[in-house]
Amino acid sequence: MPIPIDTFFLDPKFEGTLQQKIQRMISEGVLSGRFIPGAKLPSSRKLAVHLGISRITVTLAYSELVSDDYLIAKGRSGYYVSPTAPQRSRFETPKGVVTDCVDWNKAIGQRFSDQVMPEKPMDWRSYPYPFIYGQADDRIFDHSNWRQCALQALGKREFSTVTADSFERDDPELVKYIALNTLPRRGIHAKPEQILITMGAQNALWLCAHVLLNQRRMAAMENPGYPGLRVALNLARCTVASVPVDDCGMVLDALPAETDVVFTTPSHHCPTNVTMPLERRRALLELASRNDFIIVEDDYEFEMSFLNPPEPALKSLDEEGRVIYVGSFSKSLFPGLRLGYVVGSEVFIREARALRAAILRHPPGHLQRTAANFLSLGHYDALVARMGQIYRKRREIMQEAIARCGLESVGINVAGGSSFWIKTPEGVDARDLALALKDRGVLIEPGHVFFERPEDGARFFRIAYSSIESARISAGITLIAETLHSFGKR
Amino acid sequence: MPIPIDTFFLDPKFEGTLQQKIQRMISEGVLSGRFIPGAKLPSSRKLAVHLGISRITVTLAYSELVSDDYLIAKGRSGYYVSPTAPQRSRFETPKGVVTDCVDWNKAIGQRFSDQVMPEKPMDWRSYPYPFIYGQADDRIFDHSNWRQCALQALGKREFSTVTADSFERDDPELVKYIALNTLPRRGIHAKPEQILITMGAQNALWLCAHVLLNQRRMAAMENPGYPGLRVALNLARCTVASVPVDDCGMVLDALPAETDVVFTTPSHHCPTNVTMPLERRRALLELASRNDFIIVEDDYEFEMSFLNPPEPALKSLDEEGRVIYVGSFSKSLFPGLRLGYVVGSEVFIREARALRAAILRHPPGHLQRTAANFLSLGHYDALVARMGQIYRKRREIMQEAIARCGLESVGINVAGGSSFWIKTPEGVDARDLALALKDRGVLIEPGHVFFERPEDGARFFRIAYSSIESARISAGITLIAETLHSFGKR
């Protein structure tokens, strides 16, 4: 029984090649039961004419469908739906409409949705002036080599290694690369057993918080500080001490004596960008030794040190094994990758590994191997160098425009970074500013989300240059200044 | 200054093409500071002769290195290390050896490494008779189409979508496919807002446990049951009731009246494989309504129903919105993929999404898109059909060999599955059996890990046929029977 040719239409909404559209059309027809086993397909010539495409495309699609056993080829008589074609069983959904009879306010044992996290519009790319932080710039990223490395990781030879359930183990290639190449750049010496791969820095911080803290312990974090860390600490149910930050980073005198764990961002304080000088680092380590606390160093963005060589990590000065180091590839590769790592004492890493296994087993193997390939072929260092050059140029333009427009920049980083931290004039709330600017196509990040008490951050905002083209920066900063000015006149 | 040609050696241990080996050798030389900016490389002809490879390979590697700015080409005079080549800053590690001065027993706030999880040797592929559960069989998986779909997801057009930080959102393509195609196969109707993508089923169960439970609540799980669930429930600090299992699954009379959440595997009970019949499913739902508890249905492995069409999911019978459904692609695609999903009431999904964001943000975008492509092109259904055919054959051989050798199989699944649950004769501990068999090249899984009290499971073991070739099965089962027999004689 031939299938009538006019039942064939290509789905214009489906993104894919023409050949894939044909495959999808036919496999869907088979799976949905429209095309029954034994039914005869139109000849490739007829279907090609009907769809207005080349015959070879149809032929290639048909061969693919044969290898997936949707179709069989019968000599010269053509293609038929395979008698053993994949099928989908379908069930009637219950006749009665599902009415939610559960009192979810009662059923939910713990709430998580009330945590404050920065809101970023998903459509930020459509804004002409996206001073948005932490997104990849597609124009800089090295797509073709990344794809190449991904392909290699999915090659037959590596496939079994990277697709297996590796229980709690990480990809040895990636761990080795981090140990031998990435960490020495930060002055850190670590054995593979002291390294754990995580699903990005957020996952790393959450793991640290859960292993080191409990309801009877106290954590200290910078205020302002990274909101994702505050969320992780709240989930660990510990007491959280908010420690102020000055031009040299965390103010040590403000650390409560009973602190068990200090979380800090010495290289680039989040969000003000200040770098903690060597003297304060040594003082922090001495204090840790005296008061017997652990330090978790979040060394995000260290690669973005294009102005001066980066300071060695706090962990490189640590002679007592008190520092746990958190690194990430999200800023330098791309944030959707979600790969980071933790370096610390073996005893600690063992517990963090067990906790990671309990919540997600391990980060996907083939992502780990793709990253390992990209790193070991030198593409990563090339990318970081290229980003540094571009960021340096953007930063110069930013700095010039900020000075020209009279914006008040606070907390300059000596090494580079990817953003500026700006203070509004008296009486201007950065949230109002952000709203007004959004209407003019400018995205900035109001600073309240970084503060323990959001009202303390009402007069701050962050503007990043990691996702905005150089050519747009000056006009964008001018718009910010104009809008700020109009607020003053109200 | 030319770099002496005899400093060039290809790393035989590095897995990659010849061209990649050259790129790596040179980029490493530059990054490590051995090749300094301005140094002249050997001509491609000379290097090719020196390494004994073709000149075009060297030329291609040189061009790649130029595009990464490791090298520059100077007209006819050849290739030089670029003056702006990527650099690595290195620091001296502290002179004093790091002595761990921290009392980690005190510093660690919570221990996780004492959880019992099944141990599987990483080198299981080297055993001739791997009756191991839950690993991908490379011989069945459709590598080439998966690679194709991964490449498409990494194409320029989709790249920005899949590499961005999508905060808490999931890939809309994958969610849509699950809603429109996967769930209807289980009789489930769900809107995208009722679906959350997770890092595999373990992550899904952990999220459910943490949202629904707390220290004052009680969860019920099957005994024997999935050890990963027991770990997740312990982390949620709730009371855990262990409920026995008979030939129809969880015994409802044994459910404590104060249970808040019931975790169950109705399609294929883990590990005995029994299927819960319709009558018991209805009774469970009625009880849930009467006692006002929530049910989490772990529907792992439903695709492996090659003997009979799968029963519709418990959730498809749920008219009150009490069932939360957990699905996974780990068994049908490959376990290293780590993609699963949860389906439930919007209020619940909102909390689970917020918790997921706090621990890892979101599953990597390009894995989600690769899976969506693979599913929507029909490759997934083709793979499941192919696996079904192979598993059916293996199962027949297993069944025949088990009967012939007089092993005692308990809890047969009517739909298929991928394993058998076997009871040892009186007095034989399956752990001893497993150890003895390992020496003979046979891997089995002792059953104690599935039990609340490991000693209750001393006489059980699981043998899976998902990773062993048909041709090896019979000899493997014979070895198991022989070894069991020798235990009886001791």
Side-chain angles (χ1 to χ4, degrees):
Chain A
M1 192 194 57
I3 305 169
I5 197 154
D6 42 12
T7 62
F8 290 90
F9 292 101
L10 295 180
D11 180 357
K13 274 178 300 178
F14 174 66
E15 290 197 2
T17 62
L18 269 178
Q19 182 191 326
Q20 285 173 332
K21 283 185 182 183
I22 298 169
Q23 284 170 235
R24 196 170 116 112
M25 166 181 75
I26 294 172
S27 61
E28 275 300 314
V30 174
L31 289 168
S32 68
R34 280 194 301 124
F35 302 166
I36 56 169
K40 187 175 195 299
L41 274 288
S43 73
S44 55
R45 193 186 52 75
K46 276 194 188 150
L47 187 58
V49 171
H50 170 68
L51 297 171
I53 60 179
S54 92
R55 186 172 169 188
I56 182 78
T57 310
V58 178
T59 313
L60 286 171
Y62 276 9
S63 336
E64 273 297 316
L65 288 160
V66 168
S67 76
D68 266 352
D69 198 30
Y70 284 100
L71 303 184
I72 48 166
K74 286 194 191 163
R76 298 191 53 179
S77 83
Y79 290 89
Y80 295 81
V81 175
S82 164
T84 53
Q87 284 185 314
R88 248 183 222 149
S89 40
R90 290 196 171 257
F91 303 98
E92 292 296 313
T93 37
K95 273 164 218 137
V97 180
V98 178
T99 4
D100 206 320
C101 302
V102 178
D103 177 357
W104 286 101
N105 280 325
K106 219 187 82 194
I108 282 168
Q110 291 182 64
R111 295 218 161 252
F112 303 98
S113 61
D114 49 1
Q115 305 283 356
V116 180
M117 288 287 277
E119 272 181 43
K120 303 186 188 185
M122 280 297 278
D123 60 344
W124 61 267
R125 280 189 184 75
S126 66
Y127 288 78
Y129 308 103
F131 290 105
I132 195 165
Y133 179 85
Q135 290 290 0
D137 190 328
D138 306 333
R139 289 161 302 214
I140 305 176
F141 189 71
D142 181 0
H143 300 81
S144 64
N145 278 318
W146 182 264
R147 288 180 85 195
Q148 202 58 45
C149 293
L151 262 192
Q152 193 184 334
L154 287 172
K156 276 251 176 186
R157 192 158 53 163
E158 299 193 26
F159 201 82
S160 55
T161 336
V162 303
T163 56
D165 183 349
S166 43
F167 314 112
E168 6 189 275
R169 274 156 281 213
D170 292 318
D171 183 3
E173 294 289 319
L174 181 59
V175 171
K176 198 173 88 183
Y177 191 88
I178 291 171
L180 295 182
N181 294 285
T182 311
L183 294 175
R185 296 172 63 186
R186 310 298 294 124
I188 299 168
H189 179 74
K191 292 179 288 182
E193 311 82 75
Q194 296 174 324
I195 300 173
L196 178 76
I197 308 293
T198 64
M199 298 293 302
Q202 179 70 30
N203 188 225
L205 293 171
W206 183 86
L207 290 170
C208 291
H210 273 66
V211 171
L212 297 172
L213 295 159
N214 58 41
Q215 283 159 292
R216 294 169 305 283
R217 298 202 174 181
M218 180 185 280
M221 70 173 280
E222 294 150 342
N223 186 32
Y226 176 53
L229 171 62
R230 194 171 285 115
V231 171
L233 294 178
N234 288 343
L235 294 188
R237 298 151 200 243
C238 60
T239 309
V240 181
S242 285
V243 180
V245 174
D246 64 17
D247 283 352
C248 300
M250 196 175 233
V251 176
L252 303 188
D253 293 344
L255 268 178
E258 62 272 39
T259 304
D260 296 293
V261 188
V262 170
F263 289 79
T264 181
T265 52
S267 303
H268 293 65
H269 169 251
C270 170
T272 70
N273 288 314
V274 297
T275 305
M276 188 185 282
L278 193 61
E279 204 181 336
R280 172 108 28 123
R281 293 181 190 222
R282 290 203 197 281
L284 175 59
L285 287 168
E286 271 163 38
L287 193 61
S289 182
R290 202 165 345 124
N291 290 2
D292 196 18
F293 60 76
I294 303 293
I295 300 170
V296 178
E297 173 182 26
D298 180 1
D299 197 34
Y300 77 106
E301 238 193 24
F302 80 86
E303 300 95 335
M304 296 303 111
S305 303
F306 44 82
L307 296 179
N308 289 299
E311 293 274 325
L314 187 65
K315 174 136 190 80
S316 76
L317 306 170
D318 167 30
E319 291 174 13
E320 298 190 347
R322 301 199 164 270
V323 179
I324 292 166
Y325 177 89
V326 171
S328 158
F329 297 113
S330 296
K331 298 287 174 289
S332 43
L333 291 170
F334 50 85
L337 177 63
R338 310 233 55 68
L339 279 185
Y341 49 95
V342 191
V343 183
S345 167
E346 251 179 277
V347 191
F348 166 80
I349 291 293
R350 193 182 312 134
E351 297 302 321
R353 193 181 296 278
L355 176 57
R356 190 195 67 181
I359 65 160
L360 58 80
R361 290 256 187 285
H362 59 83
H366 96 246
L367 284 190
Q368 294 192 52
R369 184 56 60 93
T370 302
N373 292 344
F374 194 81
L375 289 160
S376 72
L377 286 169
H379 299 312
Y380 176 73
D381 291 285
L383 175 66
V384 167
R386 197 159 57 242
M387 284 170 86
Q389 284 160 21
I390 294 171
Y391 281 20
R392 180 202 299 267
K393 190 177 154 202
R394 289 184 185 170
R395 185 179 184 88
E396 275 167 19
I397 304 175
M398 289 283 283
Q399 216 152 9
E400 187 275 324
I402 286 169
R404 176 173 48 76
C405 294
L407 298 186
E408 188 185 349
S409 156
V410 280
I412 290 298
N413 179 282
V414 294
S418 65
S419 65
F420 286 86
W421 182 241
I422 309 282
K423 194 168 182 183
T424 67
E426 186 88 46
V428 178
D429 190 316
R431 280 165 286 196
D432 300 333
L433 178 68
L435 274 178
L437 281 168
K438 207 174 159 188
D439 289 340
R440 302 182 74 175
V442 185
L443 291 180
I444 64 166
E445 260 188 285
H448 67 283
V449 292
F450 298 98
F451 285 81
E452 185 192 17
R453 297 185 313 170
E455 60 273 28
D456 292 345
R459 283 183 55 201
F460 294 96
F461 63 95
R462 179 163 70 171
I463 41 179
Y465 46 90
S466 40
S467 299
I468 186 168
E469 288 172 72
S470 299
R472 300 262 195 181
I473 289 175
S474 191
I477 300 286
T478 305
L479 276 169
I480 296 174
E482 278 176 18
T483 311
L484 262 181
H485 199 63
S486 73
F487 270 70
K489 287 195 186 138
R490 278 186 190 173
Chain B
M1 193 192 57
I3 306 169
I5 198 153
D6 41 13
T7 62
F8 290 89
F9 293 101
L10 295 182
D11 180 357
K13 273 178 302 177
F14 175 66
E15 291 198 359
T17 63
L18 269 178
Q19 183 190 326
Q20 286 173 334
K21 283 186 183 182
I22 299 170
Q23 284 170 236
R24 197 170 115 113
M25 167 182 73
I26 295 173
S27 61
E28 275 299 315
V30 174
L31 289 169
S32 68
R34 280 195 300 125
F35 302 166
I36 56 167
K40 188 173 192 304
L41 276 286
S43 73
S44 55
R45 192 187 50 78
K46 278 193 190 151
L47 188 58
V49 170
H50 170 69
L51 297 173
I53 59 178
S54 93
R55 185 172 172 189
I56 182 77
T57 311
V58 179
T59 313
L60 286 172
Y62 276 9
S63 334
E64 274 296 316
L65 288 160
V66 168
S67 77
D68 266 353
D69 198 31
Y70 284 99
L71 303 183
I72 48 166
K74 286 193 191 164
R76 299 191 52 180
S77 82
Y79 291 89
Y80 295 81
V81 175
S82 165
T84 53
Q87 284 183 313
R88 252 185 219 147
S89 38
R90 291 197 173 254
F91 302 99
E92 292 297 313
T93 37
K95 271 163 223 139
V97 179
V98 178
T99 0
D100 208 320
C101 303
V102 178
D103 177 358
W104 286 101
N105 281 324
K106 218 187 82 195
I108 282 168
Q110 292 180 65
R111 295 220 162 250
F112 303 99
S113 60
D114 49 1
Q115 306 283 355
V116 181
M117 288 285 279
E119 271 179 46
K120 304 186 189 185
M122 280 297 278
D123 61 343
W124 61 267
R125 280 189 184 75
S126 65
Y127 287 79
Y129 309 102
F131 291 103
I132 196 166
Y133 180 85
Q135 290 290 0
D137 189 329
D138 305 334
R139 291 161 299 212
I140 305 178
F141 189 71
D142 181 0
H143 301 80
S144 65
N145 279 316
W146 182 264
R147 288 180 85 196
Q148 202 57 44
C149 291
L151 261 193
Q152 193 184 336
L154 287 172
K156 275 253 174 186
R157 194 159 51 163
E158 299 193 26
F159 201 82
S160 55
T161 335
V162 303
T163 56
D165 182 349
S166 44
F167 313 112
E168 9 189 271
R169 274 154 281 211
D170 292 316
D171 183 4
E173 295 290 318
L174 181 58
V175 171
K176 197 173 89 183
Y177 191 88
I178 292 171
L180 295 182
N181 295 285
T182 311
L183 294 175
R185 294 171 66 185
R186 311 297 295 124
I188 300 169
H189 177 75
K191 293 180 289 184
E193 310 84 73
Q194 296 174 323
I195 300 172
L196 179 74
I197 307 294
T198 64
M199 298 295 301
Q202 180 69 29
N203 188 225
L205 293 171
W206 183 86
L207 289 169
C208 290
H210 274 66
V211 170
L212 296 172
L213 294 159
N214 57 41
Q215 283 158 290
R216 293 170 305 283
R217 298 202 174 180
M218 180 184 279
M221 71 172 281
E222 294 149 344
N223 186 33
Y226 176 54
L229 171 62
R230 193 170 285 115
V231 171
L233 294 178
N234 288 344
L235 294 188
R237 299 149 200 245
C238 60
T239 309
V240 181
S242 285
V243 180
V245 174
D246 63 17
D247 284 352
C248 300
M250 195 175 234
V251 176
L252 303 187
D253 293 344
L255 268 177
E258 62 271 37
T259 305
D260 295 294
V261 187
V262 170
F263 289 79
T264 181
T265 51
S267 304
H268 293 63
H269 169 250
C270 169
T272 69
N273 288 314
V274 298
T275 306
M276 188 185 282
L278 192 61
E279 204 181 336
R280 172 109 23 125
R281 292 181 191 222
R282 289 203 199 282
L284 175 59
L285 287 168
E286 270 163 39
L287 192 62
S289 182
R290 201 168 345 123
N291 289 2
D292 195 19
F293 60 75
I294 303 292
I295 300 169
V296 177
E297 174 183 24
D298 180 0
D299 197 33
Y300 78 105
E301 236 192 25
F302 80 87
E303 300 97 333
M304 294 306 110
S305 302
F306 44 82
L307 296 179
N308 288 299
E311 291 274 325
L314 188 65
K315 175 139 189 78
S316 75
L317 306 169
D318 167 30
E319 291 174 12
E320 299 190 347
R322 303 200 162 271
V323 180
I324 292 167
Y325 177 90
V326 171
S328 157
F329 296 114
S330 297
K331 297 287 173 291
S332 42
L333 291 170
F334 51 84
L337 177 63
R338 311 234 55 69
L339 279 184
Y341 49 95
V342 190
V343 183
S345 167
E346 252 179 274
V347 190
F348 166 80
I349 291 294
R350 193 181 312 134
E351 296 303 321
R353 192 182 296 279
L355 176 57
R356 189 195 66 181
I359 65 160
L360 60 80
R361 291 256 184 289
H362 59 83
H366 96 245
L367 282 192
Q368 293 193 52
R369 183 56 60 91
T370 302
N373 292 344
F374 194 81
L375 289 161
S376 71
L377 286 170
H379 300 312
Y380 176 73
D381 291 286
L383 175 66
V384 167
R386 196 160 56 243
M387 286 169 85
Q389 283 161 23
I390 295 170
Y391 281 19
R392 181 202 299 267
K393 191 178 153 204
R394 289 184 185 170
R395 185 180 185 87
E396 275 166 20
I397 304 175
M398 290 282 284
Q399 218 153 8
E400 187 274 324
I402 286 170
R404 175 173 49 76
C405 295
L407 298 186
E408 187 185 351
S409 156
V410 278
I412 290 298
N413 179 282
V414 294
S418 65
S419 64
F420 286 85
W421 184 242
I422 309 281
K423 196 169 180 181
T424 66
E426 188 85 44
V428 178
D429 190 315
R431 281 165 287 197
D432 300 332
L433 178 67
L435 274 178
L437 281 168
K438 207 175 158 187
D439 289 339
R440 304 183 72 176
V442 185
L443 292 179
I444 64 165
E445 260 186 284
H448 66 282
V449 291
F450 299 99
F451 285 79
E452 186 192 16
R453 296 186 313 170
E455 60 273 27
D456 292 347
R459 283 184 54 201
F460 293 96
F461 62 95
R462 179 163 71 171
I463 42 179
Y465 45 90
S466 41
S467 299
I468 185 168
E469 287 174 72
S470 298
R472 301 262 194 182
I473 290 175
S474 193
I477 299 284
T478 305
L479 277 169
I480 295 174
E482 278 175 19
T483 311
L484 261 180
H485 199 64
S486 73
F487 270 70
K489 288 193 190 140
R490 278 187 194 177

